[in-house]
Amino acid sequence: MAAESGANLIPIVAAIIGIGVVAQVLADRFQVPSVVFLIAAGIILGPEVLGIVGPDSFGNALGAIVGLSVAIIVFEGAFHLHIDKLREAPKETVKLVTIGAAIAFVGTSVAVHFLLGAQWDVAFLIGALLVATGPTVVTPILAVVPTRDRVEAALETEGIVNDVTAAILAIVIFEAIRVGLDEPVALVPLFAERLGIGVVVGGVVAAILFYSLRYIDLSPGNAPRNARLLVLAGALVAYGAADTIATEAGIAAVATAGVLLGNVDIPYEEDISAFKGDITLIVLSFVFIALAALLRFDILRTIGLRGLLVAGAVALVLRPILVFVSATGDRFTTGEKWFMSLVGPRGIIPASVATLFAIELRNAGQPGSADLLVGTVFLVILVTVVLEGGFARQIAEYLDIIPMRILIIGGGRVGRTLAERLEGRGENVVIVEKREENVETARNAGFTVHQGDGTDTDVLRSAGGENARIVVGATGDDDVNLLVSQLARSKFEPETILARVNQPDNAEAFEELGVRAISASLATAQAMDNYIERPSMMDWMGEIGHSGDIQEIEVTAEKLIGTTIGEVGPQLPDDCLIALVQRDGETKVPDSELKLQKGDRITIIGGREEVQEAIEFVHPDM
């Protein structure tokens, strides 16, 4: 019988992984978060439709499989959570994972109790689970909906931290239900114990991995492969060790190990990141499809309209309240706050933990509580993932929070170098390239690349031409650059069109179109002349994008309108100053008495980080 079960399991697992990969491809093709396709695939494969996958398909192994898969997913998300990104919105992010999480927990529990008639203990259990958003659902959304760094940092951090705290809080409440604890204060030590165990185990594993990667010879010929496998094994060991000591402490362990390891300098970091990204896509596909296949429509029908009201309260009432309370101030625009409010789907952690709890509740003779738990959690996941995940891009476009793109047509050396400098300053860059070798090189370098012919209007449109602020023709063919410039001017009307001119005699044709032509030979001669006449300036200019920066930005901060340069200067970071002011087409060096007007464009010069802070100060809508 065991052999027969194993034989049946192999094609099921193979089919799930295959369908999961197809879902990822469809997600990239249609720019829809992959979780939408994965949940749909799970429901179709499940007992409600085809009946290929069901509760008994994996025997008693489902809990272990889901647990290890979640460990990989959380570690991968935490590995990419860099401290410098958290600086984009530090106070707001802390509020999201503390005050915001508390609002979600209490509010959801109250809604479940009064709308579904659940006992308070079960209501608080459901409330704890539905605090989690998680990288499993947030990351696929952010992959297809480009947002500003501050929005991405807040949502990703919230997802990772709340995954950990929600899982631990839920298991603590469940144990309290099981042993009959009545005092809420008694839960605090249990929560702190599991969190502490996870942090300690994760820290120890991260330290061992760091030492092994930096100071142990991993065999030069196979070092990148060995580094990838070592990190993967470390994530699983961290999860298994912590979870053995205390249930659900493993989530905290892998999150801790991922954050620590991702923020130190380790060799083969790009190889590790790419490898873990691929592994995560596979396990994410498997877990979502497997858990969605456990969904039973009869439980959802039992909950009915009241369940939908709970989902509506979670998504449309509590979520906006907690976001606006957490993101007070002017760091986030109103549109960004609404986007964060309307895009907070629940994911793997609540689904997997709720499934395991339901099994134990049924074994304990509480089928009603088990059905209420699973039905409510899965219904909220289904509603938020399908609606918020499926329409995330449309929501972002309606709220106008997608940052303007810079399209670079041509992924050769010039295009890639320009993209590197622009992305280093936080710009949203997309390279359009049709040659396969250039596409592969640019993607391996970490750039966003849209493969296709840049002289095709449909290709430019699909690359984001309608949302492009700047279009650059950077190919080695003047005819291509000229046609790109014509299409951009006539079809999309970006603010600025630049073109590389390889033959100086062709510059006039570009200028007649109103395109800023950059002649390669003239630019080289000017650079040489500047190095001869102005060597100090050119040395400093060489640091632009690294330690120094120069940025031109429009003044939009209402509080600065009518103030003088002398009054604004002391409010800027120390290592930067306003060098130029452009008004009504005229650019001049300002004196301290010049008053800023709405629409002025100022040029800020100074250290890289200081210039970025100054830009946020004078143009808070960036």
Side-chain angles (χ1 to χ4, degrees):
M1 180 66 87
E4 182 181 350
S5 176
N8 292 333
L9 188 59
I10 292 174
I12 289 175
V13 172
I16 288 176
I17 293 176
I19 293 171
V21 172
V22 172
Q24 300 292 344
V25 174
L26 291 175
D28 289 338
R29 173 65 180 83
F30 295 104
Q31 294 292 286
V32 174
S34 58
V35 291
V36 176
F37 293 104
L38 295 174
I39 284 184
I43 293 173
I44 292 172
L45 291 174
E48 299 293 342
V49 183
L50 297 180
I52 296 175
V53 181
D56 300 325
S57 298
F58 306 97
N60 296 323
L62 182 60
I65 294 173
V66 170
L68 292 174
S69 299
V70 169
I72 294 172
I73 294 166
V74 172
F75 182 90
E76 201 264 343
F79 187 78
H80 290 95
L81 193 63
H82 294 158
I83 299 301
D84 56 349
K85 182 183 286 189
L86 296 182
R87 295 194 184 104
E88 293 289 337
K91 292 187 296 184
E92 293 81 0
T93 302
V94 171
K95 289 180 182 177
L96 271 177
V97 300
T98 52
I99 298 172
I103 292 173
F105 171 53
V106 175
T108 303
S109 303
V110 170
V112 171
H113 174 72
F114 286 105
L115 291 175
L116 296 177
Q119 296 294 321
W120 276 114
D121 53 2
V122 176
F124 280 121
L125 181 60
I126 295 172
L129 287 172
L130 291 179
V131 167
T133 51
T136 56
V137 284
V138 171
T139 301
I141 289 174
L142 295 177
V144 297
V145 183
T147 60
R148 292 181 176 88
D149 285 348
R150 56 178 177 252
V151 176
E152 182 177 322
L155 290 176
E156 286 186 339
T157 307
E158 179 196 23
I160 291 169
V161 173
N162 282 356
D163 255 8
V164 174
T165 55
I168 294 175
L169 180 60
I171 195 69
V172 166
I173 292 175
F174 185 75
E175 286 198 5
I177 294 173
R178 190 164 54 184
V179 300
L181 280 179
D182 295 326
E183 291 294 330
V185 178
L187 301 180
V188 176
L190 291 175
F191 180 86
E193 177 189 25
R194 280 167 170 74
L195 183 61
I197 290 171
V199 170
V200 170
V201 172
V204 170
V205 170
I208 294 173
L209 288 175
F210 175 75
Y211 180 83
S212 301
L213 291 169
R214 287 293 300 269
Y215 302 111
I216 294 179
D217 184 5
L218 297 178
S219 176
N222 294 313
R225 183 199 65 187
N226 293 338
R228 294 193 298 265
L229 295 176
L230 185 65
V231 171
L232 176 61
L236 297 178
V237 168
Y239 175 82
D243 214 55
T244 299
I245 299 172
T247 309
E248 295 305 323
I251 299 296
V254 291
T256 301
V259 169
L260 292 177
L261 204 61
N263 282 279
V264 294
D265 184 21
I266 57 174
Y268 316 112
E269 183 173 351
E270 291 185 4
D271 294 287
I272 293 169
S273 181
F275 173 70
K276 289 196 67 59
D278 291 339
I279 294 293
T280 297
L281 286 179
I282 293 175
V283 297
L284 176 65
S285 302
F286 177 83
V287 172
F288 254 115
I289 292 176
L291 292 180
L294 303 180
L295 189 63
R296 288 170 49 193
F297 290 169
D298 60 328
I299 296 178
L300 298 184
R301 284 193 294 267
T302 301
I303 297 175
L305 179 60
R306 293 175 300 161
L308 289 175
L309 290 175
V310 170
V314 169
L316 301 178
V317 179
L318 295 172
R319 180 70 184 174
I321 289 174
L322 73 88
V323 168
F324 275 84
V325 168
S326 302
T328 52
D330 58 2
R331 183 178 291 271
F332 292 92
T333 66
T334 301
E336 288 170 343
K337 291 176 185 177
W338 275 113
F339 176 77
M340 293 164 63
S341 299
L342 297 175
V343 180
R346 273 53 179 176
I348 285 296
I349 291 292
S352 58
V353 178
T355 301
L356 300 179
F357 285 169
I359 293 172
E360 293 196 35
L361 286 172
R362 287 195 180 95
N363 292 337
Q366 302 180 50
S369 296
D371 288 346
L372 181 65
L373 172 66
V374 171
T376 305
V377 170
F378 269 87
L379 183 61
V380 173
I381 292 173
L382 194 62
V383 170
T384 55
V385 167
V386 171
L387 295 182
E388 297 181 354
F391 293 97
R393 188 174 188 86
Q394 288 76 8
I395 293 171
E397 290 173 349
Y398 177 78
L399 295 172
D400 194 24
I401 61 97
I402 297 178
M404 298 295 283
R405 286 183 169 182
I406 296 178
L407 294 189
I408 298 177
I409 317 304
R413 188 179 301 276
V414 172
R416 295 196 304 272
T417 303
L418 177 60
E420 180 180 9
R421 296 177 71 87
L422 292 171
E423 286 197 340
R425 295 201 294 270
E427 297 285 0
N428 182 22
V429 181
V430 177
I431 295 175
V432 179
E433 173 61 57
K434 67 177 181 179
R435 296 176 60 187
E436 185 67 40
E437 58 268 30
N438 284 347
V439 170
E440 184 175 351
T441 300
R443 284 178 175 165
N444 288 339
F447 299 115
T448 300
V449 185
H450 188 90
Q451 186 169 9
D453 187 348
T455 61
D456 186 323
T457 304
D458 291 334
V459 170
L460 290 180
R461 180 174 288 108
S462 61
E466 293 177 341
N467 199 45
R469 178 168 58 91
I470 298 172
V471 174
V472 181
T475 74
D477 189 327
D478 286 352
D479 291 335
V480 171
N481 293 338
L482 184 61
L483 182 52
V484 166
S485 301
Q486 290 174 325
L487 288 175
R489 176 70 68 200
S490 61
K491 301 295 184 181
F492 306 114
E493 299 182 355
E495 294 178 12
T496 304
I497 302 175
L498 299 175
R500 169 187 175 187
V501 180
N502 302 281
Q503 297 296 325
D505 293 341
N506 295 334
E508 185 177 351
F510 288 90
E511 297 291 349
E512 289 176 354
L513 278 176
V515 175
R516 295 186 181 182
I518 309 298
S519 169
S521 56
L522 180 59
T524 302
Q526 288 175 336
M528 290 181 173
D529 179 44
N530 283 329
Y531 266 113
I532 293 171
E533 298 294 331
R534 309 164 189 88
S536 297
M537 184 193 76
M538 291 304 291
D539 286 341
W540 188 86
M541 292 284 287
E543 289 301 310
I544 291 179
H546 299 286
S547 61
D549 204 356
I550 301 176
Q551 289 286 320
E552 181 180 317
I553 193 72
E554 181 181 353
V555 179
T556 61
E558 292 292 338
K559 62 184 178 182
L560 299 183
I561 304 303
T563 59
T564 66
I565 296 295
E567 293 169 335
V568 174
Q571 300 181 61
L572 299 178
D574 290 339
D575 190 20
C576 71
L577 55 85
I578 298 174
L580 299 171
V581 175
Q582 183 187 67
R583 179 183 299 167
D584 300 328
E586 181 182 353
T587 302
K588 60 181 179 181
V589 178
D591 58 36
S592 62
E593 299 302 318
L594 178 69
K595 290 186 177 181
L596 292 175
Q597 298 179 5
K598 196 170 185 64
D600 283 351
R601 295 187 66 85
I602 63 175
T603 299
I604 304 174
I605 182 172
R608 179 180 174 184
E609 292 184 1
E610 289 79 4
V611 168
Q612 291 302 315
E613 290 180 25
I615 288 174
E616 293 181 7
F617 177 68
V618 302
H619 190 88
D621 294 336
M622 278 289 287

